Each structure stands twice: as C-alpha cells, then as structure tokens.
C-alpha cells in the first residue's frame, strides 16, 4: 500500500509492523458511523409504526432511558408507559456499533505489542497521507503520529469505549432512535481518535471540534425535550469559548516559530520569548478549561447528564473531558518553559477540584453526583500536569477512566432497575433521585459490589487504582514545592513554593470531601431500607449480562489498574514506575526541565508519611459519612423538605449558573432583543432598508401610473407642453 511505502522510507523501528495500520484505528468507528447512520436514515422512510400513538408519545425517546430512553426524565417530567416498537434495525446496530470498537481495540493492542517489542522508540512514528493546507509557505500535512502518549490514549479510548458500547446494547435497545444513537457514539470515538493521533495542532483541532459536535448531538439526543436540547446547546456554546483560546494559541505559534506540527514545535520551542510562550500556554489552557470543564467553563458538564447514561460514561470517563489534560501533556515542552502558565494550570485545577467536591456533597441526582465528581477529578489531573508531573496526570487519567466509567455504568444499572420497576407499576417517581433508592444491595448484588470497588478506588483506598494515581499527584506537588522552577517563580506576586504547599493542602481536603460524598452516594443508594415502593420492589432485579459484563471488566481494571505505575517504595508489589518509564520519551525532558534538570525523589520516610496521611484522610472521610449519615431517616423525594442554610447553597451549586444567567445570559439576550433585533433588524433593516425602499419604489410606481392614462390626446398634450418648456428654457436664456 502507498501508506505503508511512505512509512517504510522513514527507517523508524515501527515501520513495516502492524503500526503501519494506525490509520485504520479511527477509520473503523467512522465506518460504524456510516453504516449505523444509513440504518437511521433508511428507517426514516418506512411507512410508520404499527401504533403511531406509541411513538408520538415518546418523540425521540424523551422521557425514557432505561427501557426506551432516559429514566432521568421518567420521574422529572412524567412519562407515558406505552412501549414504542423496537427499531427494525436494532439487531444490526447492536452488532455494528460495538464490533467496530472491539476491532479497533484489538488493533490497538496489536500496535501496543509492536511498540513494546521495538527498541529505540525515542522519536514518534509519523505517517503523512496528503498535504491538507498548502498556502504559500504555509503547509499543513494530514498526518497521524504514534508515540507512547498517543498509544496510551488510544488504548483507553478504544478499550473503555468498547465496553460502553456493549453496555449501550442493553441500555438503549428499545429506543426509537437506536441506530442514530450508535452512529453518534461511533462518530464520537472517531473524532477522539483523530484528536489523540493527530501529528499537529490543526489535525488535533479537527478532532477537538468533532468531539464538541458529537457532545452536542449526544447530550441533546432526545431533542424533543427542551431541557435536553438546551443542555446540548449549553455544552456547544461553552466549548466554543474555549476553542477560541486554542485557535489563538495556534496563530501565535505559527507567527513566532512557523511550526504547528508536534515535532517541529518541540525542536523550535526554545526560540520563543518567555512572554510569548506564556501567552501561548494560557490560551491553550483556555481551550482546556472549556473542553475539560475547569473554572470558569465547567458549567456545561453537569448539564450533560441530560444525555443517555452511556453518553455520560463515554464523555466523562474515556474521551472528551480528558482532551484538555492530553493537550497539556502533549504540549509539555511549551508549559515547561513557562512556570507562570504551569502554576495557573495547577491553581485552577486545585480550585476546580475543591469547588466541585463541595457541590457534590448535597446533590441527590445520582448522575449529577458523579458529574461533579468528574469535574473534581479532572482538577486533580490538571494539578498533576500543571506542576510538571505529566506522567502522574496521565496515570490518573487512565485510572479515572476505569473507575468513573464503572460508576456511571453502575448508576445506569441502578436507573435501569428503578425505571423498569416504575414502568411496571405506572409510577411517575424519579428513577435517578437517591431518595427513591436505598437497600438496593439485596436486588442488585453485582452492581452493589462493583460500585463499592470504584468508590473505594476514587476515594484513594489502597491497593485500588485511584490510591496510586492520586497519591502520585499529591506527592509530585509536595516534592516540587521544595525544589523546582515553579517553586522559584511567582504567581500574581505569590511565591511558588508556598503556593504549591497550599495546592497540596487543597488536594488533601478535596480527597476528604471525595470520600464523604462518594460514601454518601453508596449509603443512600444501596444501604438502609428500600424507598422505591412496596409494589415496585418485586420488579427490582439486576440488569442483563450485556450490561453487567462491562461492569465486571471495569471492576477488575479499577482494582488492579494502579499496578501500571507502582511507586518505587512499593516495588515489592511489582515492576515500579512502568507508566512513568513508558512515557519518558515524550514527557521525560519537560519533566526534568521543571525539576531543574534532576529527578525529584522524596525521602522514604517523607513518602511513607505522605502516603499514610492520604490514606488516613480517605478513611476518615468514609467513616465520617458512615457515622453521620443515617439512610434509615431518609424520606422519598416527594416527602423531602427543601434544603436550608448553607446546604441550600451547595444544593444550588453555589448559584454559579444563576450568576452567569444574570450577568451574561440575560444582558446578552436583552441587548440582542432590544438593540440587535428591535432597532437593527426590525427597524433599520426591515423597516428602513427593506420596507422603506419598497415604499419609495411603490410611490414612484403610483406616480407613474397616473401619467399612464392610455389616452392618445393626453399624451399629445404632454408632448406639446414638454416642447414648449424646452423652447422656453432656451429662449429665456
């Protein structure tokens, strides 16, 4: 093949191996999108459902998720309990959607095997397919780049994504838009793979915009419900704000070093002036804040719960929201040159982690608790990459993909069970509110056990995966507070060393809050008496195997995923720092640049103390929740009284959305309505220009009609008068 011949000329160790087929990684989900899209389009032209009232009652699935669509809306909005007919192409979509992802994951594993067996992989493997933008000296190649960082991301995206696709088969099968759902889901993965495989910022930006588009399509999947459509639009608009920063950063890069490919930027980054590189990094971080939901652009992500639960798992765990962390790790050579920008990333990440954790304390919607948990954990990742611990940030990205996907899919199993019970009894209760749950461990034993594994992992309990990754981030912050370019810099006049110690303290306190709100979620969902209802209890049962099997796999990964990067002092457990060594060719040099050219090592006594403190914090949080919270005293949502005092502030998310609405949304709408529409559009354009010109034309038309009488004698007299006027004018002169 031409692509293989081009690659072979590079002399790269991966040339001539299965890595030559890297272009097939995104092509497989793109094929799934095309096939499922065709199934969705063809079905539009069918003659209609056997019972039109059934489908019209649900629109595009709005009002159901667990059986027909999203049970999130079953209780909140009320539902019709008439089952719509299953899509006639549901069987084909159930095969195509997951199959292309499992095929992509199989190819990714094969490529990973080739990379593991190759030597001297210091340079990335780049395949150039064609020239995309040739304009004068400006040339952008359509190229993919395979290195250790992109390989890890591909494995996470295809592996976790395949499990989510499999779960979706059982969760969404009865939805009228089933093939359309899988088409969007496949397209989402295609764009995410383009994002992480792109060999330049412009190619990455194509994937960056693509996942933004797909998030809009999937969050607003049931667009007939206004709340869902608004949530999709909110995600789309907020992300466009961040994308502006990405674009400006690319413009600044090309204007200063005439390079946008990663290899070229890495080679010429040293030519950038300190002020310029700081500006570039800050604009890149603006893009990251939008895509990865950091302050002040995090507000779209909790509303993304309007989409189907598998969408929440895919967006929050393995794909879109991790793109910002990947961008900073990919741009590590730039961020290492700017301590100010790096400290900004760390500070914003820490504050975001803390803010989201406080909000999670008082949320009752099970998916919304997990949404704010995602925002908080993303803050940890940004703290890691912000302080130059790039491998630690990616490590937490990987483990988070395991336990957060498990938590979201586990919540999906809970919602599935409750909605099925409410559907059977024609109840309109909210299937997502934890106040309507309780005691579910007796009815969903597999989900109960697996979600506890994920909860302990995210809380930082050893030896589960989250313990290792979160501890490495906190240890990295503590170590760099003593010696690094960040400690020697200042941020808004604040010395970097004390600032890093403050970030470490915020990280510990956030870990405490994480353990509390996650334990709270588990207690109110699975422990205590059941509050679902007397009649409904007989219908509560575990989900089908096609939904439970992905949970089991993710549970295993959540339990053992920490072994990817065991710290040196725990080397007796297995090969230490594997992921760190794996990523060293990509982020090793920038990491050393941050630490002053030498590896950071804490004394064993100090490291044991930090580990012990982090574990103690997690245990205290769990015990506090167990002792303080009493599931037996909880009442159902219908009987609950409104929150009061500070609890009300947390339940209303610090009123951030309301503040945005008053300071930005309403003024913009007001100016748009009064100035742009009433004055500019309605009065100036329509009234003066369009209608005004029509009135002028009509006036002269009517004037001319008076002269066109059709009488020959009148025309003769007009000619005579005209001649007399002309002759008189010459005579009088």
């Amino acid at each position: 093949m031409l692509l293989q011949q081009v690659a072979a000329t590079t002399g790269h160790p991966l040339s001539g191996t299965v890595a030559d087929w890297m272009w097939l990684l995104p092509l497989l989900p793109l094929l799934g999108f095309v096939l499922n899209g065709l199934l969705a389009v063809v079905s539009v032209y069918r003659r209609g459902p056997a019972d039109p009232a059934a489908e019209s009652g649900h629109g595009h699935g709005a009002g159901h998720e667990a059986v027909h669509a999203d049970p999130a809306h079953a209780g909140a909005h009320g539902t019709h309990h008439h089952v719509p007919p299953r899509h006639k192409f549901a069987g084909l979509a159930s095969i195509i959607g997951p199959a292309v992802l499992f095929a992509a994951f199989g190819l990714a594993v094969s490529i990973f095997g080739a990379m593991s067996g190759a030597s001297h992989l210091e340079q990335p493997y780049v395949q150039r397919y064609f020239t995309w933008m040739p304009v004068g000296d400006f040339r952008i190649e359509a190229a993919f780049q395979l290195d250790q960082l992109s390989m890890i991301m591909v494995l996470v995206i295809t592996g976790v994504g395949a499990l989510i696709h499999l779960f979706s088969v059982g969760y969404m099968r009865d939805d009228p838009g089933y093939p359309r759902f899988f088409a969007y889901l496949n397209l989402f993965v295609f764009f995410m793979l383009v994002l992480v495989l792109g060999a330049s910022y412009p190619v990455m930006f194509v994937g960056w915009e693509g996942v933004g588009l797909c998030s809009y399509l999937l969050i607003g999947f049931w667009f007939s419900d206004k709340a869902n459509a608004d949530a999709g639009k909110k995600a789309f608009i907020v992300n466009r704000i961040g994308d502006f920063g990405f674009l400006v950063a690319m413009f600044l890069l090309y204007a200063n070093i005439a390079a946008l490919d990663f290899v070229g930027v890495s080679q010429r980054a040293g030519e950038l002036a300190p002020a310029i590189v700081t500006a570039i990094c800050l604009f890149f971080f603006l893009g990251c804040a939008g895509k990865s939901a950091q302050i002040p652009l995090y507000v779209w992500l909790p509303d993304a719960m309007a989409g189907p639960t598998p969408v929440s798992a895919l967006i929050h765990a393995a794909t879109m929201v991790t793109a910002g962390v990947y961008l900073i790790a990919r741009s590590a050579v730039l961020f290492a040159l700017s301590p100010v920008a790096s400290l900004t990333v760390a500070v914003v990440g820490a504050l975001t982690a803390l803010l989201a954790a406080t909000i999670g304390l008082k949320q009752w919607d099970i998916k919304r608790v997990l949404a704010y948990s995602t925002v908080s954990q993303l803050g940890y990742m940004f703290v890691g990459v912000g302080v130059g611990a790039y491998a630690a940030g990616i490590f937490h990205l990987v483990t988070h993909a395991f336990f957060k996907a498990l938590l979201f899919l586990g919540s999906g199993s809970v919602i599935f069970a409750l909605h099925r019970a409410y559907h059977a009894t024609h109840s309109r209760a909210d299937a997502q509110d934890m106040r309507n749950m309780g005691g579910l461990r007796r009815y969903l034993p597999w989900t109960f056990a697996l979600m506890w594994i994920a909860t302990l992992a995210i809380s930082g309990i050893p030896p589960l995966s989250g313990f290792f990754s979160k501890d490495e981030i906190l240890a990295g912050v503590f170590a760099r507070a003593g010696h690094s370019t960040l400690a020697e810099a200042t941020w808004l006049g604040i010395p970097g060393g004390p600032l890093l110690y403050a970030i470490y303290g915020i990280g510990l306190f956030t870990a405490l809050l994480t353990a509390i709100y996650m334990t709270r979620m588990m207690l109110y969902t699975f422990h205590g008496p059941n509050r679902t209802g007397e009649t409904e209890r007989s219908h509560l049962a575990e989900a089908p195997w096609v939904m439970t099997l992905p949970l089991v796999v993710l549970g295993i990964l959540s339990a053992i995923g920490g072994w990817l990067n065991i710290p040196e002092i725990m080397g007796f457990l297995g090969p230490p720092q594997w992921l760190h060594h794996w990523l060293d060719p990509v982020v090793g040099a920038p990491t050393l640049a941050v630490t002053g050219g030498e590896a950071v090592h804490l004394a064993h006594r100090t490291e044991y103390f930090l580990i012990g403190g982090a574990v103690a914090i997690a245990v205290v949080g769990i015990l506090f929740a167990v002792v303080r919270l009493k599931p037996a005293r909880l009442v159902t949502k219908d009987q609950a009284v409104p929150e009061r005092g500070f609890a009300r502030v947390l339940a209303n998310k610090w009123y951030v959305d309301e503040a945005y609405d008053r300071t930005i949304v309403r003024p913009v709408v007001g100016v748009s309505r009064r100035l742009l529409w009433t004055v500019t559009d309605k009065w100036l354009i329509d009234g003066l220009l369009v209608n005004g010109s029509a009135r002028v034309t009509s006036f002269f038309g009517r004037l001319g009609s008076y002269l066109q009488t059709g009488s020959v004698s009148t025309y003769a007299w007009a000619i005579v008068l005209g001649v007399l006027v002309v002759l008189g004018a010459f005579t009088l002169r």
Side-chain angles (χ1 to χ4, degrees):
M1 294 178 62
L2 176 61
L3 298 178
Q4 294 173 326
Q5 292 172 356
V6 171
T9 60
T10 64
H12 194 277
L14 291 178
S15 180
T17 69
V18 69
D20 287 337
W21 295 86
M22 75 167 88
W23 55 271
L24 194 56
L25 287 167
L27 192 64
L28 284 168
L30 181 62
L31 177 63
F33 161 71
V34 172
L35 295 177
N36 282 314
L38 287 174
L39 295 179
V41 171
V42 169
S43 64
V44 172
Y45 297 100
R46 62 192 176 95
R47 306 182 87 179
D51 181 3
E55 205 161 40
S56 63
H58 297 283
H60 293 274
H64 289 269
E65 180 175 342
V67 176
H68 310 297
D70 193 351
H73 310 289
H77 303 292
T79 57
H80 303 284
H81 293 278
H82 194 104
V83 179
R86 179 173 291 180
H87 197 285
K88 65 177 181 179
F89 295 130
L92 279 174
S94 299
I95 296 172
I96 296 170
V100 294
L101 260 293
F102 279 104
F105 177 66
L107 178 59
V109 171
S110 299
I111 295 175
F112 174 74
M115 292 184 70
S116 300
S119 57
H120 306 293
L121 287 179
E122 290 78 16
Q123 297 299 318
Y125 184 41
V126 180
Q127 281 188 349
R128 296 175 177 83
Y129 307 118
F130 57 88
T131 300
W132 176 23
M133 296 184 193
V135 182
D137 295 333
F138 179 74
R139 300 177 68 85
I140 298 295
E141 302 289 338
F144 285 162
Q145 173 174 312
L146 192 65
D147 58 17
Q148 291 80 356
L149 177 59
S150 59
M151 188 71 254
I152 289 294
M153 295 298 296
V154 167
L155 286 170
V156 170
I157 293 165
T158 57
V160 178
L163 294 174
I164 294 171
H165 277 65
L166 183 62
F167 182 90
S168 301
V169 170
Y171 199 77
M172 294 291 293
R173 177 172 285 187
D174 290 315
D175 191 280
Y178 188 65
R180 177 169 60 91
F181 173 79
F182 267 113
Y184 292 165
L185 219 59
N186 290 159
L187 186 65
F188 198 115
V189 176
F190 161 73
F191 278 122
M192 192 64 196
L193 289 171
V194 170
L195 191 156
V196 300
L197 287 172
S200 64
Y201 286 107
V203 177
M204 177 194 283
F205 190 69
V206 172
W208 189 275
E209 290 298 288
V211 294
L213 167 66
C214 292
S215 68
Y216 164 75
L217 295 173
L218 286 167
I219 294 170
F221 180 73
W222 296 303
F223 52 82
S224 58
D225 188 322
K226 186 178 184 301
N228 297 342
D230 288 345
K233 289 185 288 186
K234 185 176 183 179
F236 189 83
I237 292 170
V238 172
N239 272 273
R240 298 295 73 73
I241 298 171
D243 296 347
F244 167 78
F246 196 128
L247 286 169
V248 174
M250 286 196 292
F251 296 154
L252 288 174
L253 266 178
Y254 189 79
N256 286 275
I257 60 175
L260 287 174
D261 62 296
F262 299 137
V263 174
V265 170
S266 178
Q267 293 173 347
R268 306 190 62 182
E271 302 174 15
L272 292 167
I276 295 298
V277 73
T278 297
I280 291 171
C281 291
L282 290 177
F283 276 115
F284 270 138
F285 182 54
L286 176 60
C288 298
K291 197 66 67 182
S292 297
Q294 298 295 287
I295 292 174
L297 302 179
Y298 72 93
V299 291
W300 69 269
L301 194 143
D303 287 5
M305 297 300 97
T309 297
V311 172
S312 303
L314 191 64
I315 292 178
H316 289 221
T319 55
M320 178 173 164
V321 296
T322 62
V325 181
Y326 169 77
L327 173 58
I328 292 182
R330 175 60 72 194
S331 307
V333 66
L334 296 173
F335 280 86
L337 295 174
S338 177
V340 173
S342 295
L343 285 172
T344 301
V345 173
V347 169
V348 172
L351 294 178
T352 303
L354 178 60
L355 176 69
T358 60
I359 297 174
L361 291 170
K362 293 304 295 182
Q363 300 303 305
W364 292 108
D365 186 311
I366 188 171
K367 285 175 63 178
R368 196 166 287 271
V369 173
L370 297 177
Y372 282 105
S373 170
T374 298
V375 176
S376 184
Q377 296 304 306
L378 286 167
Y380 271 109
M381 297 178 208
F382 278 106
V383 168
V385 295
V387 300
Y390 303 107
I394 296 299
F395 183 28
H396 197 54
L397 183 155
V398 173
T399 60
H400 178 265
F402 299 153
F403 57 69
K404 187 50 64 66
L406 173 55
L407 286 167
F408 266 113
L409 297 186
S411 71
S413 290
V414 170
I415 296 168
F416 183 93
L418 262 71
H419 180 74
R420 184 165 52 184
Y422 287 142
H423 181 81
T425 60
H426 303 283
S427 172
R428 295 179 179 271
D430 191 343
Q432 285 191 203
D433 197 294
M434 294 185 294
R435 290 168 292 191
N436 293 334
M437 300 177 186
L440 294 181
R441 67 185 186 278
R442 297 188 294 273
Y443 309 99
L444 287 75
W446 283 91
T447 304
F448 163 71
L450 293 167
M451 286 190 71
W452 258 118
I453 292 175
T455 297
L456 295 176
I458 194 175
S459 299
I461 299 297
L464 304 177
S465 59
F467 158 73
F468 291 102
S469 57
K470 190 180 295 186
D471 176 73
E472 185 169 347
I473 290 175
L474 293 174
V477 176
F478 191 89
R480 285 159 178 78
H483 175 69
S484 67
T485 58
L486 306 182
E488 298 164 2
T490 59
W491 186 81
L492 298 180
I494 305 173
L499 183 63
L500 289 173
Y501 282 123
I503 291 173
Y504 174 78
I506 292 173
L508 278 181
F509 185 63
T510 302
L512 173 67
L513 298 181
T514 301
I516 293 173
Y517 70 70
M518 290 302 302
T519 305
R520 171 182 178 267
M521 183 194 77
M522 294 299 295
L523 291 176
Y524 286 156
T525 301
F526 292 100
H527 296 265
N530 180 256
R531 299 175 296 275
T532 305
E534 291 287 344
T535 310
E536 286 77 11
R537 285 175 200 149
S538 61
H539 299 282
L540 292 173
E542 197 71 74
W545 71 267
V546 74
M547 295 169 61
T548 305
L549 179 61
L551 269 65
V552 174
V553 176
L554 289 169
I556 295 171
L557 293 174
S558 298
I560 68 173
W563 264 253
L564 288 172
N565 210 43
I566 297 173
E568 294 285 354
I569 61 171
M570 296 184 180
F572 57 87
L573 295 174
Q577 298 284 297
W578 177 86
L579 185 62
H580 178 86
H581 296 308
W582 173 262
L583 294 174
D584 192 65
V586 182
V587 300
T591 302
L592 289 176
V594 172
T595 58
E598 56 187 41
V600 174
H601 293 291
L602 293 170
H604 285 350
R605 179 179 299 178
T606 303
E607 195 161 357
Y608 278 123
F609 177 78
L610 295 178
I611 291 174
V615 174
I617 285 288
V619 172
V620 167
I622 293 173
L623 292 178
F624 176 84
V626 170
V627 172
R628 182 69 183 271
L629 303 177
K630 305 297 181 183
R633 299 178 184 174
L634 198 64
V635 297
T636 61
K637 178 182 178 180
D638 294 338
Q639 299 173 333
V641 297
E643 305 284 357
R644 296 180 179 179
F646 187 61
R648 183 177 180 181
V649 175
L650 297 182
N652 286 280
K653 305 160 288 184
W654 293 95
Y655 295 100
V656 173
D657 285 285
E658 289 80 0
Y660 277 142
D661 184 64
R662 291 185 179 182
T663 60
I664 297 176
V665 177
R666 291 186 188 178
V668 169
V669 171
V671 170
S672 300
R673 179 177 290 116
R674 294 184 179 89
L675 177 62
L676 299 181
W677 177 57
T678 304
V679 177
T680 304
D681 189 41
K682 188 177 179 181
W683 182 82
L684 180 60
I685 297 176
D686 286 345
L688 183 61
L689 299 180
V690 178
N691 296 331
S693 60
R695 291 190 184 98
V696 171
T697 304
S698 177
F699 170 76
F700 283 107
R702 286 196 300 270
L703 183 63
S705 68
Y706 295 143
L707 299 176
Q708 301 295 326
T709 64
S711 173
V712 177
S713 60
T714 301
Y715 297 156
W717 278 108
I719 293 173
V720 170
L721 290 174
V723 171
L724 291 175
V725 170
V726 172
L727 291 176
F730 281 102
T731 303
L732 294 175
R733 187 183 62 177

